[in-house]
Amino acid sequence: MLAIIGGSGLTTLSNLQITSRKVVRTPYGEPSCPLTFGTIRGRPVVFLARHGYGHTIPPHAVNYRANLWALHSEKVQTVVSVASVGGIRRDLTPGMIAIPDQIIDYTYGRAFTFFDSDATPVTHIDFTHPYCERTRELCITAAQKAGEPVIVGGVYAATQGPRLETAAEINRLERDGADMVGMTGMPEAALARELGLSYAAIAVVANYAAGRAGSAAGIRMEDVAKVLKGAMARVRNILEHVVEAYGG
């Protein structure tokens, strides 16, 4: 089964025909919200709002372990994550959509693994390629079929939040090789890998990163909201084709 995790700007899927909702209990506490089951174009899908349906959970407080465990317990095999980012690279302008292929993790203090108990053996996962290439190709092909332009590839820098970054911090991320910056990419991707889930991300550029062209005077949240509103309509179009191709 395919699951979609929605981030800022995508707390609901308007094109999802809802059949049921389910509260899932996990060994790691409560997920962000009940899982929503339904269909898109007649194909089954599970939706989870990362920040809760009221968008009340900040990035650093999301229970990523419970979210991924809940999806895994419901026999989900593939996860497509939707997240908003700030554009660092010059061509990642507000409203653009990217399918990243790498991650740099700058988060701290988050519960980042399922293998931290004395009752479990030391376990290492290969994270050379943090996103599932098959699921990335599914998203890229879906965007092409939907007629929606996307930028293929890019390095996602995962920062702690909830504050946005300083211009100096963005300069550092750029020197490190980051192309875009967000707050929810980790540990979500690593936890998915630990559970054997095929995971890829659709990154929506909500704003220029701090200090970049167009943000010299600062980043206004009302501008971000306007960009996300328009871009998420395109994301929903892509997701329709993702679900159709996955179900086919």
Side-chain angles (χ1 to χ4, degrees):
M1 185 181 292
L2 173 71
I4 297 168
I5 299 178
S8 298
L10 195 70
T11 54
T12 60
L13 274 179
S14 58
N15 49 354
L16 176 66
Q17 301 298 311
I18 298 173
T19 57
S20 65
R21 289 189 173 92
K22 183 176 182 179
V23 175
V24 180
R25 309 295 181 189
T26 85
Y28 304 97
E30 298 292 325
S32 296
C33 56
L35 303 184
T36 300
F37 294 81
T39 60
I40 294 177
R41 294 193 175 186
R43 311 291 188 182
V45 66
V46 184
F47 179 75
L48 185 149
R50 183 185 291 113
H51 301 284
Y53 290 122
H55 201 264
T56 56
I57 307 171
H60 67 285
V62 171
N63 192 337
Y64 296 95
R65 291 197 298 184
N67 286 350
L68 273 298
W69 185 273
L71 294 174
H72 183 257
S73 71
E74 293 300 315
K75 311 304 180 186
V76 165
Q77 298 170 316
T78 301
V79 176
V80 174
S81 161
V82 180
S84 62
V85 298
I88 300 175
R89 204 171 73 195
R90 190 178 299 273
D91 60 334
L92 289 170
T93 57
M96 292 299 298
I97 298 171
I99 313 295
D101 60 353
Q102 279 294 331
I103 297 173
I104 304 175
D105 186 10
Y106 299 92
T107 65
Y108 53 88
R110 303 183 183 190
F112 59 89
T113 180
F114 292 109
F115 302 117
D116 61 353
S117 168
D118 292 340
T120 59
V122 176
T123 303
H124 303 286
I125 58 166
D126 175 33
F127 209 49
T128 305
H129 304 288
Y131 299 108
C132 170
E133 190 58 32
R134 176 173 55 83
T135 306
R136 287 186 69 250
E137 288 298 328
L138 177 68
C139 295
I140 294 165
T141 301
Q144 292 170 344
K145 290 182 177 179
E148 301 289 359
V150 296
I151 293 175
V152 177
V155 179
Y156 178 114
T159 57
Q160 182 69 359
R163 68 168 178 82
L164 299 180
E165 299 74 30
T166 68
E169 287 170 334
I170 293 299
N171 289 340
R172 174 202 173 192
L173 298 184
E174 185 175 45
R175 289 193 298 270
D176 285 352
D179 300 306
M180 64 194 82
V181 57
M183 301 174 188
T184 58
M186 287 293 286
E188 193 173 89
L191 292 169
R193 180 64 55 84
E194 288 187 350
L195 291 175
L197 299 173
S198 299
Y199 177 97
I202 297 176
V204 182
V205 182
N207 54 274
Y208 293 103
R212 292 300 174 266
S215 70
I219 299 169
R220 303 196 319 162
M221 292 302 105
E222 55 266 37
D223 294 336
V224 170
K226 290 177 183 177
V227 170
L228 287 178
K229 183 177 181 180
M232 287 305 172
R234 297 171 50 216
V235 169
R236 291 185 182 93
N237 186 22
I238 294 172
L239 290 174
E240 283 192 10
H241 288 78
V242 167
V243 174
E244 185 175 46
Y246 186 84

